[in-house]
Amino acid sequence: MSDPQSADRQRTRVPLEGKVSLVFKELRGFLDQYAGNISLGGMFLRTANPQPPGTVFHFELALADGTGLLQGIGEVVWMREQDEAVERPAGMGIRFRQLDPQSR
């Protein structure tokens, strides 16, 4: 007979790695950086130090005045370790696992 707890689990549980916080002076900075890199399901985060797929972390994007733009829990689903072209910078693809109600 199988363990009922394991039967209910559909995904492997991964410990949270930390928190990523990005602050923008104004909304325009956020839009310039992320307008083409964010969707309902996730976002691309440009970084010189991408984390490996499976990494789970809290994230928060906010304006300098404290206005929250996006907050939740994300999981790295793919990474690019180095710039491949101007349109293909180093970074990681993040899947939103959880968004706070205002971010939705």
Side-chain angles (χ1 to χ4, degrees):
M1 185 165 163
S2 65
D3 177 5
Q5 287 182 329
S6 64
D8 290 341
R9 285 191 195 147
Q10 294 179 2
R11 301 178 192 264
T12 304
R13 294 181 186 207
V14 180
L16 295 176
E17 295 290 330
K19 184 174 185 177
V20 174
S21 296
L22 299 173
V23 177
F24 298 88
K25 279 180 147 179
E26 54 189 32
L27 183 59
R28 180 77 180 164
F30 170 75
L31 293 174
D32 288 347
Q33 184 72 26
Y34 287 97
N37 296 323
I38 194 165
S39 70
L40 293 174
M43 67 181 174
F44 174 75
L45 182 60
R46 182 182 302 203
T47 176
N49 300 306
Q51 298 300 301
T55 302
V56 178
F57 59 93
H58 288 277
F59 65 87
E60 178 180 13
L61 295 114
L63 298 178
D65 68 3
T67 302
L69 299 173
L70 194 61
Q71 184 174 351
I73 297 174
E75 177 180 359
V76 178
V77 291
W78 63 270
M79 62 181 268
R80 187 179 304 125
E81 291 183 318
Q82 45 190 302
D83 294 344
E84 294 177 359
V86 174
E87 322 72 48
R88 296 179 56 81
M92 52 193 171
I94 309 299
R95 178 174 52 101
F96 297 142
R97 291 182 73 169
Q98 179 181 334
L99 290 174
D100 73 332
Q102 294 154 337
S103 296
R104 293 180 197 175

